Amino acid sequence: ELAQERVGEVMMLEIVQHVQAFLHKHERPPVSLYEEMVKRRCKEAEEERKKKQKEIEIRLEQEQRQIEEELKRRNDELLQSVNSLEDSENDSSGSEDDKIFS
């Protein structure tokens, strides 16, 4: 825009000053290659830590589900055996009652 406004005038100094102001306004702090490398490694290490943590959480959830399923299975087996014992006691006591009243 500035160049179009100054067509036909001596404009090099004004354009250079405008560019300098723009660069100064948008300047990033200088970062060495070493600092960039360290930041990148830290970021990668953090991502790897999060990935491992997620894997651990998934594994723990799976183990918890397996434990709950095993407990339910054992509880069901225990209830079945208690019920079958009660049934066999009822059958045997019923036949003894029949003998007593006969």
Side-chain angles (χ1 to χ4, degrees), residues 9-38:
E9 298 180 21
V10 178
M11 61 182 157
M12 286 305 293
L13 180 60
E14 289 183 20
I15 292 174
V16 168
Q17 289 173 342
H18 182 72
V19 169
Q20 283 178 334
F22 176 85
L23 290 175
H24 182 69
K25 182 179 177 181
H26 295 89
E27 181 180 18
R28 291 188 324 168
V31 179
S32 71
L33 291 176
Y34 175 76
E35 290 171 340
E36 287 181 15
M37 179 186 68
V38 169

Side-chain angles (χ1 to χ4, degrees), residues 71-88:
L71 285 174
K72 185 180 182 313
R73 185 186 64 78
R74 288 183 182 186
N75 190 28
D76 290 344
E77 287 177 359
L78 184 61
L79 286 174
Q80 283 179 348
S81 63
V82 167
N83 287 338
S84 64
L85 282 175
E86 287 176 352
D87 289 344
S88 64

Side-chain angles (χ1 to χ4, degrees), residues 34-65:
Y34 175 76
E35 290 171 340
E36 287 181 15
M37 179 186 68
V38 169
K39 285 181 184 179
R40 187 184 73 238
R41 284 186 180 171
C42 287
K43 183 179 177 182
E44 289 172 355
E46 180 65 17
E47 289 173 357
E48 184 67 24
R49 185 193 65 78
K50 286 180 181 179
K51 180 181 174 184
K52 286 182 180 181
Q53 182 66 29
K54 186 69 174 174
E55 289 172 356
I56 289 170
E57 289 173 3
I58 290 170
R59 193 174 334 117
L60 287 174
E61 288 174 3
Q62 289 173 342
E63 289 175 3
Q64 183 68 28
R65 269 196 307 270

